[in-house]
Amino acid sequence: MLKTLMKSIGEYRKVTILTPVLVIGEVIVECLIPFIISTLVSEIQQGCELSVIMRYGGLLIVMAGAALLLGWAAGTTCAAASTGFARNLRRNMFYSIQGYSFANIDKFSTSSLVTRLTTDVTNVQFAFMMIIRTAIRCPLMLVFAFTISFIMAGSMSFIFLFTIPVLAIGLILVIWKTVPLFRKVFKKYDRLNESIQENVQAMRVVKSYVREDYEKKKFAAAAEDVCADFTRAEKILALNSPLMQFCVYAASTLIMGVGAYVIITTRGTDLDVGQLSALLNYSIQILMSLMMLSMVFVMITMAFESAHRISEVLQEKSSLTSPPNAVTQVKDGSIDFDNVNFRYSQHAERMALSNVNLHIRSGETIGILGGTGSSKSSLIQLIPRLYDVTEGCVKVGGIDVRDYDLEALRNQVAVVLQKNVLFSGTIKENLRWGDQNATDAELVQACKLAQADEFIRQFPKGYDTYIEQGGTNVSGGQKQRLCIARALLKKPKILILDDSTSAVDTKTDALIRKAFREYLPDTTKIIVAQRVASVEDADRILIMDGGQIVAIGNHEELLASNPIYQEIYESQNKGGKADE
């Protein structure tokens, strides 16, 4: 896990290494200051001249300035290293997600990925910041302060050792109790974010059914659950502070008591006032270092589960990759399904597709009809290799899709899925997802084919109209037509419309199909639809049921022989054939 995370340090390796170096310098200077003060006090006791005091005073000012400068420099480099590390983590996670297959994405919920990219990265960033600075500073301070204390006061310095077992036992108990709580609370964070995301996306539905109060209660319950777990964890972590304070005051009291006794009984021969003052300073440094070290452990405890969740995303390997020596040219738009069986995961109880054998010629128009759950979408998702078949093979242009370079294959297979997505930006920017180098004339041509040009020109800014996130400022039918135009700009050899004209009227649907026939004669067109009118002029129509192709034929053949097609046709034409 650590090896995976450390790869994200990247170009910030220098400042990451420089920070501990500066911290070491800062600690050395700070540990020498009490020693110099002790020496100065001893000199004053012996009746030194003013020049000696001035010399030591000047040295202390220089050392204090050096400590300040080193501390500032360490803070600066630490901030640069930690924020850069967090940036790289987010970038690497985002890039990893972009490379996922649909099967990989199915393993993580959207809300969980958002939490990992935000809250979890922030936790790891703070932990990293404390590790390269505080976690270096505190042990060094302990070692240097104890060493100098031993040199100055001998066995008196062992008083510090009595507090260490108390602190160690306390920290172990705290970590043991809080780690399971943090592991559980981050999963609840995912569910909380999922509730927010679902509510925002479905706001129109919530309001139309007047379910605001219900959603508020559901969110409040999820938030309260997270709060309760955090409260339990924080109550345990709160024990750190009083435990540290107890150790600080206990050690200081022992040092002052024992030190005063030694000074009085030996008349300053074994320990003088200057040495006692230095011991007190070192006791504060040692115990404050222990306190800071406990805070580091607490932060690491909180960040450990976050680090694990981040590494899961970074270590997840796409189940779909381009093979060595992959084919980069798609010859034509022919498609072959040979004895295809498919299930979405190894743990699925049944096949989504069974015994599929289908051969489509390049340039053919294929319609697909079937009830909900008949696996129409599953079938077409195998063509651009969004999923891999479980058994058998799918060929495009006569070559198994698993032998293609993924980018080359998907550039030649344009898919307009059921869930049409537009991104925030202008219409032109959205359309150029299909071809980033498309000219304005090509944009207009694609929109005319998709029957989108007319409504675009009605907007005051035309093709420069800004699309809100998710396309909320255009209708469902307009969104579908823009997505079709975007797909057409890829100039694909295969065009797949997965129920992507459901929100347009039958006349517009017919015009889109007519444009396809006239302007895209060599492109293989697959139209998944719920309406018979959307596929009745296709070269062939597939009827799917229960994950199988149960019938193939043109409109007249199926209308004469297939009960499923007859039932769909009759139910949609009770009032007479739909106007086109």
Side-chain angles (χ1 to χ4, degrees):
M1 181 179 73
L2 289 176
K3 186 177 180 180
T4 300
L5 295 180
M6 291 304 100
K7 290 178 182 177
S8 294
I9 294 176
E11 67 271 29
Y12 297 94
R13 193 177 304 277
K14 288 184 179 179
V15 286
T16 299
I17 296 172
L18 182 59
T19 299
V21 173
L22 293 170
V23 167
I24 291 171
E26 180 188 12
V27 168
I28 291 173
V29 173
E30 288 187 5
C31 285
L32 287 174
I33 287 175
F35 181 79
I36 301 299
I37 292 174
S38 170
T39 306
L40 176 59
V41 171
S42 298
E43 291 284 352
I44 292 173
Q45 279 185 314
Q46 296 172 13
C48 67
E49 296 181 355
L50 182 61
S51 60
V52 175
I53 297 174
M54 294 296 292
R55 185 169 66 252
Y56 277 106
L59 179 60
L60 287 171
I61 291 172
V62 171
M63 292 178 72
L68 178 64
L69 183 62
L70 288 167
W72 170 80
T76 301
T77 55
C78 180
S82 60
T83 53
F85 174 60
R87 188 201 70 171
N88 287 350
L89 266 183
R90 290 192 178 95
R91 180 197 63 194
N92 293 342
M93 289 174 69
F94 186 78
Y95 286 3
S96 293
I97 293 168
Q98 293 300 305
Y100 284 177
S101 67
F102 278 19
N104 296 118
I105 292 172
D106 290 343
K107 290 178 62 176
F108 301 98
S109 67
T110 303
S111 57
S112 177
L113 289 174
V114 170
T115 304
R116 293 169 199 240
L117 280 161
T118 53
T119 304
D120 287 332
V121 171
T122 300
N123 288 340
V124 170
Q125 176 187 345
F126 286 147
F128 180 75
M129 179 173 62
M130 297 189 80
I131 286 170
I132 64 173
R133 190 179 184 191
T134 310
I136 299 295
R137 174 187 170 86
C138 294
L140 285 174
M141 183 67 77
L142 285 170
V143 171
F144 283 129
F146 183 79
T147 301
I148 298 175
S149 297
F150 182 78
I151 293 171
M152 291 178 58
S155 58
M156 278 282 293
S157 59
F158 287 102
I159 291 174
F160 302 133
L161 298 180
F162 293 121
T163 61
I164 294 176
V166 177
L167 294 173
I169 292 170
L171 284 174
I172 290 170
L173 289 173
V174 165
I175 293 170
W176 178 58
K177 288 287 188 180
T178 54
V179 166
L181 286 173
F182 284 121
R183 184 174 294 119
K184 185 167 63 173
V185 81
F186 282 117
K187 292 179 180 177
K188 292 181 178 180
Y189 247 134
D190 291 344
R191 289 195 289 271
L192 182 67
N193 285 343
E194 187 174 0
S195 176
I196 296 170
Q197 179 190 11
E198 184 180 61
N199 184 270
V200 171
Q201 288 180 341
M203 185 61 69
R204 289 177 174 82
V205 178
V206 172
K207 291 188 176 298
S208 64
Y209 281 89
V210 195
R211 297 284 282 178
E212 291 92 343
D213 289 341
Y214 171 80
E215 289 294 322
K216 287 177 183 177
K217 289 177 183 177
K218 188 172 76 170
F219 176 79
E224 182 62 33
D225 204 13
V226 172
C227 178
D229 278 352
F230 259 123
T231 301
R232 284 195 290 271
E234 292 293 343
K235 283 180 179 178
I236 297 171
L237 293 176
L239 294 173
N240 268 321
S241 182
L243 183 63
M244 291 298 107
Q245 293 294 332
F246 170 77
C247 291
V248 168
Y249 292 135
S252 298
T253 302
L254 283 171
I255 289 170
M256 291 178 68
V258 174
Y261 175 78
V262 171
I263 290 173
I264 292 170
T265 55
T266 64
R267 295 184 180 182
T269 56
D270 289 349
L271 185 73
D272 60 26
V273 176
Q275 290 173 321
L276 179 60
S277 67
L279 271 178
L280 286 172
N281 283 328
Y282 286 128
S283 71
I284 293 173
Q285 286 182 343
I286 289 171
L287 294 168
M288 290 303 292
S289 295
L290 286 171
M291 184 180 295
M292 293 301 296
L293 201 56
S294 73
M295 292 176 63
V296 172
F297 277 115
V298 169
M299 192 65 239
I300 291 174
T301 301
M302 291 179 63
F304 180 81
E305 182 59 23
S306 291
H308 176 69
R309 285 156 55 86
I310 290 170
S311 66
E312 282 183 336
V313 176
L314 293 173
Q315 291 173 353
E316 181 76 14
K317 300 300 181 185
S318 176
S319 59
L320 302 179
T321 56
S322 300
N325 304 315
V327 179
T328 57
Q329 294 294 325
V330 179
K331 183 177 68 173
D332 56 41
S334 62
I335 305 168
D336 298 289
F337 286 77
D338 293 328
N339 302 313
V340 168
N341 292 310
F342 169 68
R343 70 176 76 193
Y344 280 98
S345 74
Q346 295 178 347
H347 308 293
E349 295 181 358
R350 66 179 185 85
M351 292 286 183
L353 293 168
S354 301
N355 303 317
V356 176
N357 285 280
L358 174 65
H359 304 284
I360 302 171
R361 296 183 297 275
S362 183
E364 226 181 338
T365 298
I366 300 295
I368 303 179
L369 284 177
T372 302
S374 60
S375 297
K376 302 185 297 295
S377 295
S378 300
L379 181 75
I380 59 100
Q381 287 176 354
L382 299 179
I383 298 170
R385 205 186 168 203
L386 299 179
Y387 291 95
D388 267 343
V389 298
T390 305
E391 297 171 4
C393 71
V394 177
K395 297 178 181 178
V396 170
I399 296 174
D400 193 323
V401 293
R402 290 169 292 193
D403 294 331
Y404 279 110
D405 175 78
L406 276 173
E407 185 175 341
L409 172 65
R410 291 174 182 172
N411 273 334
Q412 295 301 324
V413 182
V415 184
V416 184
L417 296 170
Q418 286 176 311
K419 295 182 179 179
N420 297 287
V421 177
L422 294 175
F423 298 89
S424 53
T426 64
I427 289 177
K428 282 184 179 179
E429 289 169 345
N430 269 277
L431 292 172
R432 286 197 170 105
W433 275 65
D435 179 1
Q436 61 182 352
N437 298 315
T439 64
D440 288 352
E442 289 173 326
L443 298 183
V444 173
Q445 175 68 12
C447 288
K448 285 181 177 179
L449 292 175
Q451 305 302 308
D453 180 67
E454 183 179 354
F455 77 78
I456 292 174
R457 293 189 183 280
Q458 291 176 358
F459 292 134
K461 293 185 179 180
Y463 282 81
D464 292 315
T465 299
Y466 190 83
I467 299 294
E468 300 293 340
Q469 184 180 13
T472 55
N473 59 331
V474 291
S475 69
Q478 291 172 337
K479 188 188 299 185
Q480 285 187 336
R481 282 175 277 175
L482 287 172
C483 290
I484 292 171
R486 181 174 63 190
L488 291 175
L489 282 166
K490 291 182 72 173
K491 301 179 179 65
K493 288 185 169 65
I494 300 171
L495 175 64
I496 300 173
L497 304 181
D498 187 2
D499 202 20
S500 51
T501 58
S502 58
V504 302
D505 59 84
T506 53
K507 181 180 178 181
T508 302
D509 188 8
L511 290 172
I512 292 173
R513 287 183 281 116
K514 180 182 177 183
F516 288 170
R517 286 195 303 271
E518 295 177 355
Y519 293 97
L520 303 171
D522 298 325
T523 297
T524 303
K525 298 166 281 291
I526 300 177
I527 303 171
V528 179
Q530 299 292 337
R531 296 188 303 217
V532 170
S534 297
V535 298
E536 63 181 359
D537 58 352
D539 297 316
R540 285 186 292 164
I541 302 170
L542 312 183
I543 305 300
M544 297 196 65
D545 187 37
Q548 294 182 318
I549 298 175
V550 296
I552 303 177
N554 59 33
H555 173 68
E556 288 75 17
E557 292 169 346
L558 293 174
L559 195 58
S561 62
N562 186 262
I564 297 176
Y565 191 80
Q566 291 167 356
E567 182 181 350
I568 296 172
Y569 181 81
E570 289 172 5
S571 66
Q572 293 179 5
N573 291 273
K574 284 181 179 179
K577 191 174 180 179
D579 295 328
E580 292 190 7

